[in-house]
Amino acid sequence: MVQTKGISYLSDHEAQTAIVEIGKRMYAKNYVVSNDGNISIKVGENALWITPSGVSKGYMTPEMLIKTDLDGNVLLGSSRPSSEIKMHLRVYKENPEVLAVTHAHPPIATSFAVAGIPLDSAILPEAIVTLGSVPIAEYATPGTVGVPDSIAPYCKTHNGVLLESHGVITWGKDVFQAYHRLESLEYYATVTMNTHNIIGKAQVLDDQEVARLIGLRENFGITSGGHPRSYSSSIDNINQSDEGAKQSRFSTYFLMEEKDVHEYVREFEFFDTSSELTCKEIGDGNLNYVFRVVDEKNKKSIIVKQAGCTARISDEFKLSTDRNRIESEILILEDKLTDGLVPKVYKYDSIMNCCVMEDLSDYTIMRTALLKHEIFPHFSDDITTFLVNTLLMTSDLVLDHKEKKELVKNYINPELCEISEDLVYSEPFNNYKNRNEVFPPNAEFVAKEIYGDKSLGLEMAKLKFEFMNNAQALIHGDLHTGSIFIKQDLMKVIDPEFAFYGPMGYDIGNVIANLIFALVNGELTITDQVKKEKFTGWVIESIIEIIDLFKHKFLAAWKNHVTDCLAKEEGFDQWYLSKVITDTAGVAGLELLRRIVGLAKVKDITSISDEVLRTKAERYCLLIGKHFILNREHFLCGDDFKTLINETLGGK
């Protein structure tokens, strides 16, 4: 044993010997065949031993094993580590208490995985105490990053997972605990199969007994395991009639209401069986339905977000519910890239087209806060970190080109891209679908300055086709102040349902434009001169900082992460970045125009009740936006943006 910072790790020799022993047990139990399965043991803060690729687990020797760091880099050994090492690494990253992981294909448990059925019925006391419920991780191609992403939500709360259409993974504080959980899981699956499909009946433990059993975990030093389904839900799913077992209500898609979400979160064990839940629909966006569920006993809360087949704003917009998958996957990816600048995703349900995620009720929607003229000193730093890490790190500059092209395919988002192509890039400039909403006092101004300006139409065409054909990076696609939750020391970006591979400047430009909406509101509605100067001064400085900090961080990250050989040519970084900033100015102009002329408005402007002031506010936005579009190549730094804004607002 080796002691490091209070943790007892096996020595290299002990770990190698234990892995060989567990491999033999797995092979003898028929949990693996041929070269299936893999085993790892953590032997230090940044080191582990893992089984090699292409070797039968029943015939391994210590010399065959591979030692790597926790990034997967080989430290010792001549073979290749298991192709599924990413899955092991993710467990260790998500749960530092784990010191060993086993992955196998035991036949009964794997049958449940193939069927997509979790092991979560309250029928075995031993399973409830020592193993816990076993959820299904959504299918991902073995060996890809999709597998670790699919298990990540369960690594702290459970002790094992069924990998849909694949197999089983378990973990523990040592390799024998991880293996014994594998044995327990296969036994649990066997008993469940026998009672469910052969005998057709099981005595289900009631909720009070389940609570007592869960309480016993502490006696064994067990802090995870999740919760079985409630007694009534288990009865429905286990005790069968002649016509067959009742299936979950949530095995077929329907649009949920509050009472359905209440039942949904209980069935999928997000709360203790003794919890006192309340549920309220709180969505105020244009597309999805958002429910907040709270346990009134301890105030634990989660968000359930469901996608409908049409937009909330209008049934005219027919949408694919796949947008919820895209959003869930991207939030998981962005969480990894930005170290927590997005909400945590706990579950994505491909049947109900919903995701369960972290509740940010202790944050404020940034647009709401800006309408109160609040100031956030850390925003520029946080948002530029988010932008650089999500844009640069998902581009061809960093990623293997084939990997990036696979991501482009995975995040094709045609329905929502069509909305952007219409509402952002087309209709505000020609109203070709006759659904623009122009404030009557500005009708003549819009007709002349926007609809009647042919030079503007030409530049719009250029920007539109740049948007449709430049798969530069994985962009958020709708990054306005209503998509940011914020408090004084932190912000989190939400709602990436419009995400796809597009031009980097689209995200940056949207942030800039929405700060300008807040600036114009403050300029025209704050009556106290001191407060006005403080708020508007902060907004203008934030705009300058976002442009200049983005450039600085982008170039620094470029030096550390860019992999393409030609991208390292001298001067290419500056050329590339200048194109991004030019696109930023153009998109900022688009957003300013479309929110004034088009169908989707912003409260920063519509909340101005005085007709004269609102008319002036809209004209400010239209003039700034138009200048951004027509002269976008002249905007190179933060001061260039500041100069135009100040000149338009009257030389502030």
Side-chain angles (χ1 to χ4, degrees):
M1 285 283 187
V2 179
Q3 284 278 339
T4 304
K5 294 184 178 180
I7 300 175
S8 296
Y9 298 103
L10 295 183
S11 67
D12 287 345
H13 175 72
E14 290 170 328
Q16 290 172 289
T17 302
I19 288 175
V20 169
E21 171 63 23
I22 295 301
K24 290 177 179 178
R25 294 190 189 189
M26 287 168 55
Y27 189 77
K29 286 274 192 177
N30 199 33
Y31 292 172
V32 291
V33 298
S34 185
N35 300 327
D36 292 350
N38 28 79
I39 308 158
S40 68
I41 298 177
K42 194 175 177 183
V43 291
E45 288 184 277
N46 191 31
L48 62 87
W49 284 94
I50 191 167
T51 48
S53 179
V55 173
S56 170
K57 304 307 167 291
Y59 296 92
M60 291 187 300
T61 62
E63 295 76 20
M64 295 178 179
L65 306 182
I66 312 298
K67 188 177 185 180
T68 78
D69 63 20
L70 264 67
D71 291 320
N73 301 306
V74 174
L75 303 176
L76 290 173
S78 57
S79 301
R80 288 185 297 109
S82 168
S83 61
E84 293 178 311
I85 188 173
K86 300 183 187 72
M87 182 166 58
H88 294 246
L89 297 175
R90 189 58 172 271
V91 176
Y92 294 127
K93 177 182 178 182
E94 296 290 338
N95 190 344
E97 293 185 0
V98 171
L99 296 182
V101 177
T102 63
H103 166 55
H105 304 157
I108 307 301
T110 300
S111 298
F112 277 83
V114 170
I117 301 172
L119 293 168
D120 57 2
S121 297
I123 57 174
L124 287 173
E126 295 83 359
I128 294 172
V129 175
T130 62
L131 175 64
S133 63
V134 186
I136 290 277
E138 185 184 4
Y139 177 76
T141 304
T144 68
V145 294
V147 178
D149 286 347
S150 73
I151 67 172
Y154 308 109
C155 293
K156 283 188 177 180
T157 56
H158 293 74
N159 299 314
V161 171
L162 298 175
L163 305 169
E164 185 178 358
S165 300
H166 183 174
V168 173
I169 181 171
T170 58
W171 48 84
K173 294 181 179 179
D174 59 62
V175 73
F176 292 97
Q177 185 183 58
Y179 171 73
H180 290 148
R181 285 173 172 169
L182 181 66
E183 282 191 339
S184 297
L185 197 155
E186 176 68 353
Y187 178 71
Y188 185 12
T190 303
V191 172
T192 301
M193 181 187 69
N194 288 341
T195 54
H196 191 152
N197 297 98
I198 298 175
I199 300 173
K201 184 179 181 180
Q203 297 294 331
V204 179
L205 302 171
D206 63 31
D207 295 345
Q208 290 73 28
E209 179 61 17
V210 168
R212 282 192 289 270
L213 291 168
I214 289 174
L216 293 176
R217 289 176 181 170
E218 186 177 353
N219 298 339
F220 299 94
I222 299 171
T223 59
S224 54
H227 298 270
R229 279 179 288 126
S230 65
Y231 175 76
S232 58
S233 180
S234 295
I235 288 291
D236 282 346
N237 283 273
I238 299 262
N239 290 346
Q240 299 185 359
S241 65
D242 291 339
E243 292 76 28
K246 287 186 179 180
Q247 289 191 332
S248 166
R249 290 182 59 224
F250 306 105
S251 61
T252 303
Y253 173 79
F254 65 93
L255 199 58
M256 291 190 286
E257 298 179 358
E258 291 174 354
K259 59 181 176 60
D260 304 308
V261 174
H262 187 285
E263 181 181 345
Y264 179 86
V265 298
R266 282 209 181 275
E267 178 163 328
F268 289 95
E269 61 185 46
F270 290 105
F271 293 91
D272 292 345
T273 54
S274 61
S275 57
E276 298 175 1
L277 301 184
T278 59
C279 177
K280 183 177 181 181
E281 208 282 320
I282 60 171
D284 61 357
N286 295 328
L287 298 181
N288 297 311
Y289 299 84
V290 182
F291 302 87
R292 182 170 186 252
V293 185
V294 181
D295 182 352
E296 297 297 341
K297 290 176 65 176
N298 58 21
K299 299 305 178 183
K300 174 186 175 183
S301 58
I302 58 174
I303 295 295
V304 179
K305 184 173 183 179
Q306 188 179 32
C309 299
T310 60
R312 290 181 66 149
I313 189 174
S314 170
D315 287 345
E316 181 179 347
F317 296 103
K318 308 296 182 185
L319 304 173
S320 168
T321 52
D322 187 54
R323 67 186 187 274
N324 208 283
R325 173 197 61 86
I326 291 175
E327 176 174 0
S328 300
E329 291 183 1
I330 287 176
L331 285 174
I332 292 169
L333 172 61
E334 289 178 343
D335 183 42
K336 181 166 60 175
L337 292 174
T338 66
D339 194 24
L341 292 178
V342 297
K344 295 283 186 185
V345 174
Y346 304 130
K347 174 185 176 65
Y348 167 66
D349 186 333
S350 59
I351 295 173
M352 294 301 295
N353 299 311
C354 70
C355 60
V356 182
M357 65 178 68
E358 178 185 1
D359 180 19
L360 302 178
S361 57
D362 56 332
Y363 290 69
T364 302
I365 295 175
M366 189 173 186
R367 192 183 306 282
T368 301
L370 293 179
L371 282 168
K372 297 176 182 177
H373 307 123
E374 296 180 25
I375 290 171
F376 299 94
H378 300 287
F379 175 65
S380 300
D381 189 27
D382 285 345
I383 195 65
T384 49
T385 296
F386 175 86
L387 289 166
V388 169
N389 289 5
T390 58
L391 298 176
L392 179 65
M393 301 304 290
T394 60
S395 72
D396 278 310
L397 298 165
V398 174
L399 296 177
D400 172 82
H401 298 333
K402 289 182 180 179
E403 180 184 357
K404 186 255 189 174
K405 289 176 174 63
E406 285 298 318
L407 290 172
V408 173
K409 287 197 308 184
N410 196 39
Y411 296 116
I412 291 291
N413 203 350
E415 291 87 0
L416 295 188
C417 282
E418 183 180 30
I419 290 177
S420 297
E421 290 155 15
D422 280 342
L423 295 187
V424 180
Y425 285 90
S426 300
E427 294 179 43
F429 311 97
N430 56 25
N431 198 24
Y432 84 104
K433 288 192 175 180
N434 294 310
R435 56 184 180 184
N436 283 355
E437 296 180 358
V438 178
F439 190 48
N442 274 328
E444 290 186 11
F445 186 85
V446 168
K448 177 185 176 183
E449 295 292 333
I450 309 302
Y451 297 159
D453 191 331
K454 296 298 182 183
S455 62
L456 182 63
L458 173 61
E459 296 309 311
M460 286 314 310
K462 295 176 184 177
L463 286 167
K464 178 177 180 178
F465 280 82
E466 174 75 7
F467 175 79
M468 293 191 295
N469 292 283
N470 185 5
Q472 194 172 32
L474 185 56
I475 66 173
H476 180 282
D478 196 28
L479 190 50
H480 52 74
T481 51
S483 296
I484 298 170
F485 273 79
I486 197 164
K487 51 186 178 181
Q488 283 300 311
D489 60 342
L490 191 62
M491 58 130 237
K492 289 183 184 275
V493 174
I494 64 168
D495 292 348
E497 61 226 356
F498 277 82
F500 83 113
Y501 262 84
M504 295 181 183
Y506 192 80
D507 280 354
I508 314 165
N510 269 278
V511 173
I512 297 299
N514 279 270
L515 286 177
I516 293 173
F517 291 133
L519 172 67
V520 170
N521 178 283
E523 176 67 23
L524 295 177
T525 65
I526 301 175
T527 56
D528 183 296
Q529 190 62 30
V530 174
K531 291 181 178 179
K532 177 187 293 190
E533 290 179 1
K534 183 178 180 181
F535 178 74
T536 59
W538 170 76
V539 177
I540 289 176
E541 285 305 308
S542 295
I543 292 170
I544 296 170
E545 289 176 358
I546 288 169
I547 297 298
D548 294 344
L549 270 177
F550 176 84
K551 292 174 64 177
H552 174 75
K553 293 180 181 181
F554 189 86
L555 292 174
W558 184 294
K559 291 179 182 178
N560 292 328
H561 298 292
V562 164
T563 59
D564 184 274
C565 58
L566 286 177
K568 297 178 181 179
E569 289 293 319
E570 184 176 355
F572 183 71
D573 55 351
Q574 294 286 351
W575 174 86
Y576 191 101
L577 180 57
S578 69
K579 294 292 186 183
V580 173
I581 301 303
T582 294
D583 288 343
T584 295
V587 173
L590 289 169
E591 178 75 355
L592 286 164
L593 268 61
R594 73 104 169 186
R595 294 289 191 177
I596 301 301
V597 176
L599 181 63
K601 306 295 186 183
V602 289
K603 289 182 179 179
D604 312 67
I605 305 302
T606 60
S607 64
I608 300 175
S609 57
D610 184 285
E611 181 178 292
V612 173
L613 292 181
R614 177 172 171 181
T615 301
K616 183 182 289 189
E618 291 194 351
R619 292 188 183 189
Y620 281 156
C621 294
L622 292 171
L623 290 172
I624 295 171
K626 183 176 177 180
H627 195 92
F628 276 152
I629 293 167
L630 293 176
N631 302 285
R632 57 191 180 278
E633 68 278 0
H634 298 304
F635 292 88
L636 304 175
C637 65
D639 277 339
D640 295 334
F641 287 77
K642 172 185 175 181
T643 298
L644 171 62
I645 293 167
N646 283 346
E647 288 176 352
T648 306
L649 297 185
K652 277 183 74 269

